């Protein structure tokens, strides 16, 4: 072998593999055993309802929000809102009595 061939064939030779000297062969993710996707997180994910299923309290909240939105539209169209904002209106409307 010539001197040039010997350097190229030597595993771990600096500058030959494209990785910095001393870097693990598979990159940091391979060295740690973790991939960049799906790693564990500090907070567990909340359970998700099956598609199409809506919890009763969610359905009631949705209906109430719809009703308040309708009332707000009526007030705005009539010009009775004055300086009141949706946020102010909804803070009273969304309260279930």
């Amino acid at each position: 072998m010539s001197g040039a061939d010997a350097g190229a064939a030597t595993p771990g030779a600096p500058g030959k593999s494209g990785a910095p000297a001393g870097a693990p062969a598979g990159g940091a993710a391979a060295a740690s055993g973790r991939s960049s996707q799906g790693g564990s997180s500090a907070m567990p994910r909340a359970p998700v309802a099956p598609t199409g299923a809506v919890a009763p309290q969610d359905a009631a909240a949705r209906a109430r929000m719809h009703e308040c939105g309708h009332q707000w539209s009526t007030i705005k169209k009539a010009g009775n809102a004055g300086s009141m904002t949706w946020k102010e209106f909804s803070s009273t409307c969304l309260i279930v009595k």
Side-chain angles (χ1 to χ4, degrees), residues 4-64:
D5 291 335
T10 306
K16 299 296 181 186
S17 67
S32 68
R34 289 184 290 179
S35 68
S36 62
Q37 297 181 3
S40 65
S41 63
M43 300 287 294
R45 292 186 179 161
V48 178
T51 305
V54 178
Q57 65 271 23
D58 292 342
R62 236 182 229 198
R64 187 69 192 145

Side-chain angles (χ1 to χ4, degrees), residues 66-80:
H66 182 77
E67 179 61 30
C68 287
H70 180 53
Q71 289 177 13
W72 176 246
S73 293
T74 303
I75 290 169
K76 290 286 280 187
K77 286 178 185 174
N80 296 332

